[in-house]
Amino acid sequence: MNECSFKVVKEEIALSFRIRKAAVLGSGVMGSGIAAHLANVGIPTLLLDIVPKELTEKEKAKGLTLEDREVRNRNTAEALKKLLKQKPAPLTSKKNLNLITAGNLEDDLDKLKDVDWIIEVVVENLEVKKKVFEQVDQYRKAGSIISSNTSGISVEAMSEGRSDDFQKHFLGTHFFNPPRYLKLLEVIPTKKTDPEVLEFMKKFGEDVLGKGVVVAKDTPNFIANRIGTYGLLIAVREMLKGGYSIGEVDSITGTLIGRPKSATFRTLDVVGLDTFIHVANNVYELVEGEEKEVFEVPDFMNKMLEKGWLGSKSGQGFYMKKGKEILQLNPETFEYEPRKKFKTPGLEMAKQEKGTKRKMKALMYSDDPAGKLLWKMTAPVLAISAELLGEIADDIVAIDRAMKWGFGWELGPFEMWDAIGVESSVAKMEEEGIKIPEWVKEMLESGHTSFYQENDGIEYYFSNGEYKQIPKNPKVIDLKLLKKQGKVLKKNSGASVIDVGDGVLLLEFHSKSNAIGFDIIQMLNYAIEETESNYKGLIIGNQGKNFCVGANIALILMAAQDDDIFEADMIVRQFQQAMMKIKYSEKPVVAAPFGMTLGGGAEVCLPSAHIQASMETYIGLVETGVGLIPGGGGNKELYIKTLKSMADGVEFDLQQVANKVFETIAMAKVSTSAEEAVENNFLNQADGISVNGDHLIYDAKQAVLALHEQGYKPPVREKIPVTGETGYAALLLGAEAMKLSGYISEHDMKIAKKLAYVIAGGKVPYGTEVDEQYLLDLEREAFLSLAAEPKSQQRMQHMLVKGKPLRN
């Protein structure tokens, strides 16, 4: 990653502390994952683990002994190798592995004096952890921060007997697995943690590690695992009581109520039954009363554990895949059977409602088997969340955020409660004998009927008899809030133009999947004209699920199937012209991509004055998958960006540039991170990367303002050197070899020929310098000719209907 991306942020928060180097103690899946994430944000990290007690057969064959460094560092060395193979990838770039140094807990403890943050991730055993911290205390430098990644052991108990300086700088930092991708970081201070250390770690966690940080109390399993595990066990209990199937429970506890697709039991399969039972038992040992009963793991789950049916990692768990069929476990017979799903009138009616809140409310209050089960699984979770307020966290916001960021819930428990109506749901709970905490009753008695309120676009939460403003990081710009505050200048079905303050406009896509059609092109033209007349610059960004999955291929397909060449040509011309407007705008246009940024989404980014990408940006020109090539200038812009990535004054082979671009587009390569996008030339070293996706719009705005302050001038239109006929022939050689090897079909070859012709710049001599419009014309002609091909139309149709590419 571009190192300077982090410098400003680090200096901003380095009041009394700086984290320039870190050490992770424990190289298991979690420890190595945390080390990888630290490397992803540019922090050199020492990874230490125990020294092996025995030689492997391979080591014996090599003549090694237990004293050899290779043997003593075996655990960490193997962990580093696994980082390169794991999926999803823990590293944003394989190069980041160079920032992690392997060592062991006997030979390398003295190196702890050079690090600023030591993170313990050893086995979940209090005595083992205390022994590790006793050693750490001897070697660490005064003022360095020490934390434990425990998922439930008392943080207070771990630091007993340690030096005063150790205790002042010690706290829990509970990452969720996998650390790169899961947003939640629970920070758990002890009674002796210096408040300044806590404040620093909260800010560092957000601004540098890119996490959603929640302060939790030192209680069993903290916030998210306490409530999440409780909710999962309640679901299991109600399933067994009502005689429902695993598939039926999952059919109502997934996306319908704003939870991940994996719902309840698929989530348990992914987490691993052994991990889940360990977490549940941890709470069971430490709590009393009704809660203890819930945390008692059902017999059938213990039996699954004995059999080794742990889920995804063992090949079977609550589900098992047999051929193409997914089977569910019958907890009574222990046989696998075809998966069942709820199909009830109430469920079908709820699905017709708009938005998660309305769907959930409609189903939960329906006189329907699915609705009754959902109510029985949800009501106790809401009640326990309120009961635990003050014990696990100081406010409802922390609890809601922990569940959203750690478990992927769209709505936290208190937001969910507001959605179904607090008054009516409390009345129903009391009728059924569910205990309601006094503070909730008092809230209702005082005339307050919701946990959250909004006033003039400002959000408040209920706390100790009054509503308090929800604290927000100033780097979080909420587009929904700005729209409520009347900051929209103009909008249509596909996009809105929003004033984000300080003389900066933002173009927000909000079509289906943010696909680019005429409506977005129209708003893009308006946004640039308005920006050039009255503003300092423009951001193209949004806060949807993905930045943009591409152009609206349905428009192209309809025009092509109707043989309406004029219509298809007009669509492509308008898109090309809009992209050129972005490039040559008199005011800077900054693209802020994140998530899927495919096809037309990538074409919007490439001509921008600057790209400020989220670390999790998956960008690529994927048109070959639908039988086309990029048509909005993507081929040209990626070629230019790759040319400009070559060092000034150093001779390079133009053909190599053409080859790289051709391969990237022909193979529909998609970067697995923003860093990889730099390696694929979708981003360059001057572009920025935001580790915290919530800060992306803010960072893009700062980029606009910086360009404005520097006196931004649009690029001068230049001629572009191309490889011409000889380059075209060279590109075709590679494609022919792939066809002969059976890697690509006849139609793939036809697409490759068109793409090669465009990248090479047509029938001109090698090194000819051509105009951008000439390349755009070549691109448009190739695009339209492919759109007219029946096999390309079949690919487009298949993508629209099935959502995946067709090989034909």
Side-chain angles (χ1 to χ4, degrees):
M1 185 177 291
N2 186 358
E3 228 174 273
C4 64
S5 303
F6 301 106
K7 280 181 185 169
V8 175
V9 171
K10 283 182 180 173
E11 282 163 17
E12 239 174 59
I13 64 173
L15 303 171
S16 303
F17 303 96
R18 290 191 70 185
I19 293 175
R20 288 159 291 202
K21 285 184 180 177
V24 176
L25 314 182
S27 67
V29 172
M30 200 68 201
S32 59
I34 292 170
H37 189 63
L38 292 170
N40 290 338
V41 300
I43 297 172
T45 301
L46 179 65
L47 183 62
L48 307 181
D49 209 323
I50 57 172
V51 173
K53 302 294 182 214
E54 292 179 1
L55 292 168
T56 64
E57 291 304 316
K58 214 180 221 180
E59 287 166 346
K60 286 175 187 173
K62 278 176 150 183
L64 297 171
T65 71
L66 288 171
E67 298 308 307
D68 283 304
R69 190 76 174 173
E70 186 181 329
V71 175
R72 294 174 75 78
N73 287 356
R74 183 210 304 153
N75 290 330
T76 43
E78 286 181 354
L80 295 184
K81 283 179 191 169
K82 285 178 186 172
L83 287 178
L84 296 172
K85 295 174 186 173
Q86 277 174 276
K87 293 207 182 293
L91 295 162
T92 52
S93 168
K94 289 179 179 177
K95 291 175 185 172
N96 293 339
L97 198 66
N98 297 328
L99 285 172
I100 308 174
T101 304
N104 68 71
L105 285 164
E106 289 179 21
D107 304 325
D108 300 302
L109 283 172
D110 63 318
K111 292 177 183 172
L112 295 181
K113 69 181 186 297
D114 299 321
V115 307
D116 307 300
W117 181 22
I118 301 160
I119 312 156
E120 169 274 311
V121 202
V122 303
V123 64
E124 286 287 87
N125 177 298
L126 178 59
E127 292 312 310
V128 173
K129 289 178 186 289
K130 287 182 84 166
K131 280 179 186 171
V132 169
F133 286 131
E134 187 180 353
Q135 290 179 298
V136 167
D137 207 357
Q138 293 171 39
Y139 289 96
R140 63 175 280 270
K141 66 181 177 186
S144 62
I145 294 169
I146 321 101
S147 70
S148 171
N149 183 64
T150 180
S151 56
I153 291 177
S154 169
V155 180
E156 202 81 49
M158 284 182 218
S159 64
E160 284 173 6
R162 301 280 55 81
S163 67
D164 287 346
D165 189 78
F166 183 106
Q167 292 184 331
K168 270 179 67 178
H169 294 87
F170 180 69
L171 70 170
T173 49
H174 181 213
F175 288 83
F176 275 60
N177 194 29
R180 171 183 163 185
Y181 299 96
L182 281 192
K183 184 174 176 177
L184 180 61
L185 175 64
E186 290 176 322
V187 175
I188 310 100
T190 70
K191 292 186 184 80
K192 293 183 178 176
T193 304
D194 186 332
E196 201 176 340
V197 170
L198 176 63
E199 284 308 307
F200 170 79
M201 286 308 294
K202 279 163 60 182
K203 200 154 175 50
F204 179 83
E206 285 189 18
D207 289 352
V208 178
L209 299 178
K211 296 295 170 194
V213 180
V214 166
V215 177
K217 299 205 172 187
D218 190 14
T219 54
N221 286 12
F222 313 127
I223 303 173
N225 276 343
R226 178 82 167 266
I227 292 172
T229 307
Y230 181 91
L232 287 164
L233 285 166
I234 286 285
V236 174
R237 184 184 77 180
E238 293 303 328
M239 176 190 77
L240 295 173
K241 267 194 345 194
Y244 298 103
S245 75
I246 280 166
E248 284 173 326
V249 170
D250 275 0
S251 66
I252 59 167
T253 55
T255 53
L256 178 77
I257 61 167
R259 304 279 174 84
K261 270 198 300 190
S262 53
T264 301
F265 292 100
R266 178 74 187 114
T267 295
L268 286 171
D269 273 351
V270 171
V271 167
L273 189 60
D274 52 345
T275 304
F276 176 76
I277 287 177
H278 170 78
V279 171
N281 286 341
N282 188 50
V283 182
Y284 178 78
E285 297 295 330
L286 296 164
V287 296
E288 300 295 332
E290 288 177 35
E291 193 182 357
K292 192 178 187 78
E293 287 174 35
V294 173
F295 278 97
E296 188 170 0
V297 175
D299 290 340
F300 89 93
M301 291 170 82
N302 284 318
K303 191 175 172 185
M304 286 173 69
L305 182 65
E306 285 167 26
K307 285 178 171 285
W309 296 359
L310 307 179
S312 303
K313 58 185 165 189
S314 65
Q316 69 187 97
F318 295 100
Y319 291 103
M320 180 174 73
K321 198 169 183 184
K322 193 173 183 181
K324 288 190 175 179
E325 192 181 9
I326 294 171
L327 304 174
Q328 65 180 23
L329 178 72
N330 183 321
E332 289 181 8
T333 66
F334 262 71
E335 299 289 325
Y336 284 92
E337 57 191 28
R339 183 168 50 165
K340 291 179 194 167
K341 291 183 181 180
F342 264 121
K343 285 186 180 173
T344 64
L347 183 57
E348 292 311 307
M349 284 178 70
K351 284 178 179 176
Q352 303 308 311
E353 292 285 347
K354 281 190 175 180
T356 301
K357 293 178 181 179
R358 293 172 65 114
K359 287 181 203 291
M360 191 187 297
K361 188 174 183 178
L363 184 58
M364 229 177 275
Y365 289 122
S366 67
D367 188 22
D368 181 274
K372 285 176 180 174
L373 177 59
L374 183 60
W375 167 261
K376 284 177 182 175
M377 290 190 298
T378 305
V381 177
L382 304 184
I384 196 73
S385 298
E387 185 66 42
L388 291 173
L389 180 69
E391 181 185 333
I392 61 173
D394 283 328
D395 56 65
I396 64 171
V397 178
I399 293 173
D400 278 348
R401 285 177 173 173
M403 297 318 299
K404 291 194 288 185
W405 295 342
F407 275 71
W409 293 11
E410 186 182 320
L411 302 169
F414 296 97
E415 293 170 325
M416 201 186 303
W417 213 336
D418 275 354
I420 64 171
V422 183
E423 280 184 295
S424 51
S425 60
V426 163
K428 191 174 179 184
M429 286 179 200
E430 288 189 308
E431 275 173 33
E432 295 174 3
I434 296 172
K435 185 186 167 192
I436 304 297
E438 283 304 313
W439 75 267
V440 176
K441 291 184 191 176
E442 287 167 10
M443 181 184 91
L444 291 173
E445 284 163 10
S446 66
H448 301 304
T449 57
S450 66
F451 295 104
Y452 291 96
Q453 280 188 357
E454 192 182 295
N455 191 4
D456 294 329
I458 298 169
E459 294 175 300
Y460 300 85
Y461 70 99
F462 190 79
S463 176
N464 298 320
E466 61 178 341
Y467 286 96
K468 295 178 181 175
Q469 190 172 335
I470 296 175
K472 285 192 176 174
N473 188 317
K475 293 183 179 179
V476 177
I477 294 175
D478 187 338
L479 297 182
K480 280 184 187 170
L481 211 55
L482 288 173
K483 288 196 268 189
K484 284 177 185 174
Q485 291 168 351
K487 302 294 185 182
V488 177
L489 268 64
K490 193 173 183 178
K491 67 174 183 176
N492 63 18
S493 58
S496 297
V497 177
I498 305 166
D499 186 336
V500 293
D502 300 316
V504 180
L505 281 187
L506 179 138
L507 175 68
E508 177 201 36
F509 298 171
H510 46 64
S511 61
K512 188 180 178 184
S513 299
N514 289 343
I516 299 168
F518 282 131
D519 46 6
I520 285 180
I521 291 172
Q522 181 189 6
M523 292 304 290
L524 175 59
N525 288 329
Y526 165 78
I528 290 174
E529 285 162 16
E530 182 64 24
T531 301
E532 287 183 330
S533 300
N534 301 307
Y535 290 83
K536 294 174 182 176
L538 173 70
I539 301 164
I540 301 177
N542 64 78
Q543 290 171 336
K545 189 178 175 185
N546 293 296
F547 177 74
C548 175
V549 297
N552 188 341
I553 57 170
L555 288 175
I556 300 294
L557 180 60
M558 284 189 289
Q561 287 177 334
D562 292 343
D563 286 330
D564 193 340
I565 299 301
F566 176 77
E567 173 76 6
D569 183 71
M570 185 187 71
I571 293 168
V572 182
R573 277 182 193 272
Q574 285 197 9
F575 189 35
Q576 286 185 344
Q577 286 162 7
M579 298 306 100
M580 291 292 271
K581 266 196 167 184
I582 289 173
K583 185 169 186 174
Y584 293 107
S585 165
E586 289 173 20
K587 301 286 178 68
V589 177
V590 172
F594 62 95
M596 294 296 182
T597 303
L598 306 176
E603 288 183 300
V604 165
C605 297
L606 285 166
S608 300
H610 180 86
I611 301 173
Q612 184 67 39
S614 165
M615 179 193 267
E616 299 304 331
T617 298
Y618 317 121
I619 188 168
L621 293 165
V622 296
E623 285 82 353
T624 57
V626 288
L628 303 169
I629 68 164
N635 308 284
K636 163 184 72 78
E637 289 300 336
L638 186 60
Y639 181 72
I640 292 170
K641 205 141 188 166
T642 307
L643 272 177
K644 289 192 172 174
S645 71
M646 300 294 148
D648 286 342
V650 177
E651 278 193 37
F652 61 89
D653 185 352
L654 202 57
Q655 187 62 52
Q656 283 185 351
V657 173
N659 291 351
K660 184 173 168 67
V661 175
F662 175 77
E663 185 184 316
T664 300
I665 300 172
M667 304 299 289
K669 285 185 180 178
V670 176
S671 69
T672 60
S673 67
E675 275 194 86
E676 199 172 281
V678 175
E679 292 162 21
N680 292 339
N681 294 116
F682 285 102
L683 272 66
N684 61 32
Q685 292 299 326
D687 291 324
I689 297 174
S690 297
V691 182
N692 193 324
D694 290 346
H695 300 177
L696 180 60
I697 301 296
Y698 172 88
D699 293 341
K701 182 177 170 182
Q702 300 315 302
V704 168
L705 294 172
L707 287 167
H708 171 76
E709 288 301 316
Q710 291 159 16
Y712 178 79
K713 293 283 185 290
V716 176
R717 200 155 173 149
E718 296 174 322
K719 298 264 185 169
I720 304 146
V722 293
T723 57
E725 286 182 289
T726 54
Y728 173 62
L731 293 174
L732 283 189
L733 273 176
E736 288 285 1
M738 289 185 78
K739 183 172 173 291
L740 289 170
S741 305
Y743 285 112
I744 62 174
S745 67
E746 192 72 48
H747 192 57
D748 289 327
M749 188 64 200
K750 186 173 276 189
I751 298 164
K753 281 182 177 176
K754 298 280 186 185
L755 178 62
Y757 191 76
V758 170
I759 300 292
K763 293 182 179 179
V764 295
Y766 181 94
T768 301
E769 294 190 342
V770 299
D771 183 68
E772 279 184 272
Q773 190 57 49
Y774 167 79
L775 289 177
L776 284 173
D777 292 342
L778 287 183
E779 191 171 303
R780 190 176 66 257
E781 287 159 15
F783 180 93
L784 294 171
S785 67
L786 285 169
E789 292 280 343
K791 285 193 173 179
S792 286
Q793 291 175 18
Q794 286 168 17
R795 289 190 182 191
M796 286 187 265
Q797 185 84 39
H798 193 269
M799 179 60 79
L800 289 167
V801 175
K802 303 278 187 183
K804 53 187 178 182
L806 169 72
R807 291 301 306 275
N808 59 356

